[in-house]
């Protein structure tokens, strides 16, 4: 339903004349990074490209991680109700369905979402022959604490957008 809401937002903004629906790129961080990767597979016809910073690529892995413990039993039950089969909605398990260019950026010092989410996703996308750029920031955490990491990400994003969604 969350992915449907994103598509509905594109339609609404296009109807209002606020966006050109042929020029939409989805971007997000953490769970928003998951949404961007999932959109690149599920709803690629609605986007020109996708950008994920510190994104979750494997919901099952996240729920087993130390961060997943923060969800607690109630939240995990809610997540399972929303998506009974986490593997089927985890981008890592369907890289060949990714149909648009993807930029993945992740900090090696991220303790919230392991860098392995983006590292493994990038590897699977490359193996599947998909258009992916992967940048692993050696000193970056989940929160863009260092201004150098923020700047590197923004420059990478600017370059990626200039190539895949030029003004």
């Amino acid at each position: 339903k969350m992915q449907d809401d994103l598509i509905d937002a594109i339609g609404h903004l296009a109807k209002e004349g606020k966006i050109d629906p042929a020029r939409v790129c989805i971007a997000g961080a953490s769970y928003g990074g998951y949404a961007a990767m999932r959109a690149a597979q599920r709803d690629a016809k609605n986007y020109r490209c996708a950008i994920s910073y510190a994104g979750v690529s494997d919901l099952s892995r996240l729920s087993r991680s130390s961060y997943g413990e923060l969800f607690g039993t109630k939240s995990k039950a809610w997540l399972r109700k929303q998506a009974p089969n986490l593997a089927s909605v985890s981008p890592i398990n369907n890289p060949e369905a990714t149909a648009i260019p993807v930029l993945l950026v992740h900090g090696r010092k991220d303790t919230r979402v392991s860098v392995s989410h983006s590292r493994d996703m990038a590897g699977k996308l490359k193996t599947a022959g998909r258009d992916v750029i992967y940048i692993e920031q050696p000193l970056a955490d989940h929160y863009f604490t260092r201004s150098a990491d923020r700047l590197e990400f923004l420059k990478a994003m600017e370059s990626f957008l200039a190539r895949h969604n030029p003004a």
Side-chain angles (χ1 to χ4, degrees):
K1 290 182 179 182
M2 185 252 337
Q3 296 297 128
D4 293 337
D5 289 345
L6 295 170
I7 300 304
D8 290 346
I10 292 169
H12 174 75
L13 292 171
K15 184 178 174 185
E16 296 286 318
K18 296 185 180 191
I19 65 162
D20 176 353
R23 297 197 65 251
V24 177
C25 182
I26 185 167
S30 195
Y31 185 77
Y34 161 79
M37 286 186 277
R38 184 74 178 123
Q41 295 175 340
R42 181 183 179 264
D43 301 307
K45 68 182 184 301
N46 296 288
Y47 303 100
R48 292 180 83 175
C49 55
I51 300 168
S52 169
Y53 179 84
V56 175
S57 66
D58 186 340
L59 294 171
S60 298
R61 182 188 313 171
L62 183 71
S63 70
R64 292 187 309 268
S65 71
S66 59
Y67 177 62
E69 292 170 11
L70 296 176
F71 290 133
T73 306
K74 198 176 215 180
S75 294
K76 283 184 181 180
W78 176 85
L79 182 60
R80 293 267 180 214
K81 184 177 178 185
Q82 303 306 307
N85 182 351
L86 294 179
S88 71
V89 293
S90 292
I92 194 85
N93 296 320
N94 201 13
E96 63 283 346
T98 300
I100 56 176
V102 177
L103 171 63
L104 301 174
V105 182
H106 212 119
R108 201 175 295 155
K109 295 193 178 219
D110 190 335
T111 58
R112 177 68 66 159
V113 176
S114 169
V115 67
S116 63
H117 280 268
S118 291
R119 187 184 291 153
D120 294 349
M121 185 69 191
K124 288 201 173 207
L125 288 169
K126 287 177 184 173
T127 299
R130 298 305 184 245
D131 187 352
V132 61
I133 295 172
Y134 176 56
I135 300 170
E136 190 169 301
Q137 297 176 308
L139 301 176
D141 60 16
H142 192 73
Y143 307 102
F144 283 126
T145 303
R146 293 170 16 99
S147 59
D149 298 323
R150 285 190 303 272
L151 183 59
E152 180 186 24
F153 171 67
L154 291 171
K155 285 181 176 180
M157 192 163 128
E158 179 181 44
S159 173
F160 182 79
L161 290 171
R163 180 174 174 204
H164 298 290
N165 198 15

